[in-house]
Amino acid sequence: MNTFGYNIRLTTFGESHGPALGGILDGFPPMVKIDFEKVKEDMEKRAPGRQAFTSPRKEPDEVEFLSGLSADGVTLGTPIGFIIRNKDQRSGDYAGYAGRFRPNHADYTYYSKYGINEFAGGGRASARATVSWVAAGALCRQWLATKGVTVSARFIETNSVEEAASNGDSTGGIVEGVINGLPVGVGEPLFGKLHSRLAAAMMSINAAKAFEYGDGVASAYSFGSNVQDLMIPDNNAAGGYRFLTNHSGGIQGGISNGMPVNFKVYFKPTPTLMREMDAYDTEGKHVIIPPKGRHDPCVAKRAPAIVEAMALLTVADLMRYM
């Protein structure tokens, strides 16, 4: 399952400490003029080493486009191939980790499923793999902008990231997203509902533990009379109607209703701690995982760019032939 989407399909490849990561974006519309500076801006938002209390790994995260674009940057409608070369991988940081199952990582499950796992940086299970998602999302952002659709996200700090980092610990966090400008009618019932597609996309992100949209979990504690989204005619609104409230989060019956789609993604604490941790190896022997390597004390801090990318890919896929 290395391919995301149906009408616009992203297939990705690469490991955290390999020579490069990349992807093929197929089904993307032709005749879209790509602004490479804006692609760079999106990549910068996800890149490590740009914010305080994030991984100090220094990666330029420059996208090299190999196909699907004309000489002047216009999409051809053919598969868009691209790579992002790794420049600052330090596999030596993971020396001695081979055959050891780090707590809450994918080491054990990958090893159990495949009989092998890439211990350097987590390999394919690393959040480094999301760099390709952001590159593809950056292209989708520019096409959706021509339709008046925008996506934004922000980090919500739940515990002090600085305190967690100074104690060699980690913390979780929340990323809040919003999709503006969607026309009425985006989403495919019954099993391709807009919110179910968004949920699947967000829960594909490393360390994501929960997704909610609109009133979300609070709906379970509400009375129906308190969460009715009443509508009134409005010729200036999408579909000719405007809603007085947005408890539904812009989605009703799995289909967009023209209101902003607002949602939250909840992230767990980074499993790697800068302190010794007890673990076991492939032979069932007790081992100690030493505190080394370069990690984000809060993965959610850099996640807004990834959340935006997955929302962009989801919406672009659903709107490709609208």
Side-chain angles (χ1 to χ4, degrees):
M1 296 301 294
N2 296 298
T3 298
F4 178 87
Y6 299 89
N7 300 310
I8 295 179
R9 299 168 301 281
L10 172 65
T11 300
T12 69
F13 62 86
E15 287 81 37
S16 176
H17 284 243
L21 298 101
I24 297 175
L25 190 63
D26 198 9
F28 194 85
M31 297 301 293
V32 179
K33 182 71 169 76
I34 299 301
D35 185 330
F36 296 110
E37 281 301 313
K38 289 184 178 179
V39 172
K40 183 178 179 181
E41 289 173 9
D42 275 6
M43 299 300 290
E44 285 281 338
K45 289 190 292 185
R46 195 221 72 94
R50 306 301 199 276
Q51 304 177 48
F53 305 108
T54 61
S55 169
R57 181 172 174 171
K58 294 288 186 181
E59 292 287 357
D61 283 353
E62 296 171 348
V63 185
E64 300 177 37
F65 290 101
L66 308 177
S67 65
L69 295 168
S70 68
D72 56 349
V74 177
T75 60
L76 301 173
T78 56
I80 300 173
F82 61 89
I83 61 172
I84 301 101
R85 299 183 188 277
N86 286 326
K87 302 288 188 179
D88 189 29
Q89 63 269 56
R90 291 196 330 218
S91 299
D93 287 349
Y94 298 88
Y97 279 13
R100 297 184 173 190
F101 302 134
R102 294 169 296 168
N104 284 31
H105 281 76
D107 298 341
Y108 171 68
T109 50
Y110 268 58
Y111 182 85
S112 297
K113 184 175 181 66
Y114 301 110
I116 187 172
N117 71 291
E118 175 54 86
F119 59 89
R124 189 79 174 138
S126 170
R128 177 76 184 141
T130 64
V131 69
S132 300
W133 311 358
V134 174
L139 301 183
C140 291
R141 186 192 301 279
Q142 296 190 36
W143 174 59
L144 289 172
T146 67
K147 296 179 174 293
V149 177
T150 62
V151 175
S152 61
R154 69 185 184 96
F155 167 62
I156 300 174
E157 191 172 33
T158 54
N159 292 309
S160 170
V161 178
E162 181 178 0
E163 180 180 353
S166 63
N167 292 328
D169 210 333
S170 63
T171 180
I174 302 170
V175 174
E176 184 177 60
V178 62
I179 306 169
N180 282 301
L182 278 185
V184 179
V186 178
E188 302 296 335
L190 289 175
F191 301 110
K193 293 181 173 72
L194 175 55
H195 57 271
S196 68
R197 292 285 299 275
L198 283 172
M202 298 307 153
M203 294 306 292
S204 297
I205 302 174
N206 312 62
K209 300 298 287 184
F211 169 86
E212 66 177 357
Y213 72 100
D215 283 0
V217 175
S219 298
Y221 302 93
S222 301
F223 291 102
S225 56
N226 294 331
V227 295
Q228 295 291 316
D229 288 327
L230 301 179
M231 54 196 292
I232 59 174
D234 185 343
N235 292 331
N236 296 318
Y241 286 90
R242 174 168 57 88
F243 291 84
L244 300 180
T245 56
N246 194 26
H247 298 287
S248 301
I251 306 172
Q252 293 170 333
I255 303 170
S256 62
N257 66 6
M259 291 290 283
V261 174
N262 52 70
F263 60 91
K264 290 180 180 177
V265 187
Y266 296 78
F267 290 85
K268 71 176 184 179
T270 314
T272 298
L273 306 180
M274 289 297 100
R275 59 178 68 172
E276 290 187 346
M277 292 183 290
D278 292 307
Y280 285 85
D281 62 17
T282 55
E283 298 179 354
K285 296 180 180 177
H286 176 263
V287 295
I288 298 294
I289 302 295
K292 61 180 182 178
R294 297 170 295 175
H295 309 280
D296 294 89
C298 178
V299 292
K301 193 170 183 184
R302 286 197 292 134
I306 305 166
V307 167
E308 288 181 10
M310 295 310 289
L312 288 161
L313 284 164
T314 300
V315 171
D317 188 32
L318 287 167
M319 291 186 65
R320 175 63 177 92
Y321 295 107
M322 285 187 67

